[in-house]
Amino acid sequence: MQRAEAARSALLTSLPDAHVDLLHLDVGSAQSVLAAAQEVKARYNRIDFLYLNAGIMPNPQLNVKAFFKGLFSRNVINMFATAEGLLTQQDLLNSDGLQEVFATNLFGHFLLIRELEPLLCEADHASRIVWTSSSNARRSAFSMEDIQHRNGTEPYSSSKYASDMLSLALNRHKNSQGLFSSVICPGLVMTNLTYGILPSFFWTIIMPIMWLIRIFTNTFTLTPYNGAEALHWLFLQKPESLDPRAKYHSLTSGLGTNYTQPHPMDIDEGMSEDLYSELLELEKVVRKILSERNADKEANGQRE
């Protein structure tokens, strides 16, 4: 909340007439999601835009040998852009018994959407969902037999590919109710998440190389401001004009010009529908667990 207060103060400094509300929400906790959604429904009677930007990549492990091999190869740009073959993560279970990355990057957002449907799905009013995905979202990292990626080592990539598929399914099910979903990729952005992948001295060595490579590629947006280009661009578009099968990429030219470009997503419609059904079933299970947990708390409180 301290970071949120600081962001709010900065916004109000540049836009003093704006109205900025804060809300505490941990998308990695189903209980927090449901509580926050109730507060949103108490405060507002509609939602125009819902930006789903929160995500985690816990305990990233770098394949150092593959990194240095790729650094001096023709594949260097794709290596930095996608991190394919470079990163693995050690995932944990959260308090709801779900894999933490899956819960935070995908399921918590899905549960939030479901809970806010009364404000999002109005036939006479278009609402928009915008997912922040990644160039690291790869079909090869995802399995319908293991949607939480319990048995894999790339939960981040799996969760981001799943969010791409979920966006497509949401459009298929909810467009007729006035809800439209889009996906963006911010490009390679240097954030706390990125810096946490390597020791600081590595970045001191690598950053000059990355700025040099940026002259020859448009995917190295590098700064959060540049990476947010597609988020802003989508805000200005009519939802009916957007392609539900496209991922909208933030791009920065070698001269520093920002622009947005759609790229087709490698998604199977049948698989996206299966994922949507699986998430609906998981939602029922999680709600039942939370209900039983709350009932136990009330019973214990009465005994006390």
Side-chain angles (χ1 to χ4, degrees):
M1 289 302 284
Q2 288 181 334
R3 291 175 61 193
E5 288 284 2
R8 181 178 183 275
S9 296
L11 285 168
L12 293 178
T13 298
S14 58
L15 300 166
D17 294 330
H19 184 85
V20 183
D21 290 334
L22 301 181
L23 177 72
H24 185 268
L25 165 62
D26 175 7
V27 286
S29 163
Q31 189 68 58
S32 177
V33 170
L34 296 179
Q38 289 303 314
E39 190 168 344
V40 169
K41 287 187 283 190
R43 291 186 189 182
Y44 313 108
N45 56 19
R46 79 178 198 193
I47 295 175
D48 298 304
F49 282 83
L50 181 61
Y51 280 82
L52 303 175
N53 189 62
I56 59 170
M57 184 194 288
N59 308 309
Q61 305 293 317
L62 178 73
N63 185 329
V64 177
K65 182 179 179 180
F67 174 77
F68 280 106
K69 183 179 179 180
L71 188 62
F72 301 102
S73 72
R74 295 178 181 178
N75 194 45
V76 61
I77 293 175
N78 182 67
M79 179 187 75
F80 275 116
T82 67
E84 185 172 0
L86 285 184
L87 292 177
T88 59
Q89 301 94 43
Q90 296 177 349
D91 201 5
L92 301 171
L93 290 178
N94 69 2
S95 60
D96 299 317
L98 304 175
Q99 294 298 129
E100 190 175 26
V101 175
F102 166 83
T104 306
N105 296 5
L106 180 75
F107 184 72
H109 295 303
F110 173 75
L111 188 59
L112 182 65
I113 294 167
R114 290 279 295 161
E115 196 69 13
L116 294 178
E117 280 188 5
L119 306 187
L120 290 167
C121 297
E122 299 179 10
D124 59 342
H125 172 257
S127 294
R128 307 274 298 280
I129 294 172
V130 181
W131 298 81
T132 297
S133 182
S134 170
S135 55
N136 190 239
R138 300 196 319 279
R139 187 171 186 165
S140 60
F142 179 82
S143 169
M144 273 306 306
E145 285 69 45
D146 184 18
I147 65 171
Q148 295 193 45
H149 207 76
R150 293 182 186 275
N151 304 313
T153 59
E154 297 181 276
Y156 182 82
S157 180
S158 173
S159 69
K160 290 300 181 180
Y161 184 76
S163 69
D164 293 353
M165 289 198 294
L166 179 54
S167 178
L168 183 63
L170 285 169
N171 280 312
R172 190 162 51 246
H173 285 271
K174 302 299 180 181
N175 280 180
S176 62
Q177 299 174 46
L179 178 60
F180 296 82
S181 180
S182 301
V183 180
I184 75 105
C185 174
L188 179 61
V189 182
M190 304 310 298
T191 63
N192 289 339
L193 186 150
T194 317
Y195 282 120
I197 295 171
L198 291 169
S200 57
F201 72 89
F202 269 97
W203 291 117
T204 303
I205 298 170
I206 294 168
M207 282 309 296
I209 300 174
M210 295 180 68
W211 281 101
L212 179 63
I213 294 174
R214 180 181 171 182
I215 299 173
F216 306 101
T217 181
N218 54 12
T219 59
F220 281 32
T221 48
L222 297 185
T223 70
Y225 180 89
N226 295 343
E229 170 65 23
L231 294 171
H232 178 251
W233 184 86
L234 280 174
F235 178 81
L236 302 174
Q237 310 308 308
K238 293 182 178 180
E240 298 85 355
S241 68
L242 299 172
D243 183 355
R245 297 186 63 88
K247 182 179 295 187
Y248 291 86
H249 287 246
S250 296
L251 301 171
T252 303
S253 71
L255 297 177
T257 302
N258 294 326
Y259 60 103
T260 298
Q261 193 173 81
H263 290 214
M265 295 190 289
D266 177 24
I267 290 179
D268 177 82
E269 289 201 20
M271 190 183 293
S272 73
E273 188 64 27
D274 290 342
L275 174 64
Y276 186 75
S277 298
E278 287 277 342
L279 291 174
L280 289 174
E281 290 303 312
L282 182 59
E283 177 192 353
K284 295 177 184 177
V285 173
V286 170
R287 287 182 184 273
K288 182 179 180 181
I289 291 172
L290 293 178
S291 177
E292 291 173 351
R293 187 184 298 169
N294 291 334
D296 287 342
K297 286 182 179 179
E298 289 180 5
N300 290 333
Q302 289 174 358
R303 281 196 291 269
E304 291 172 1

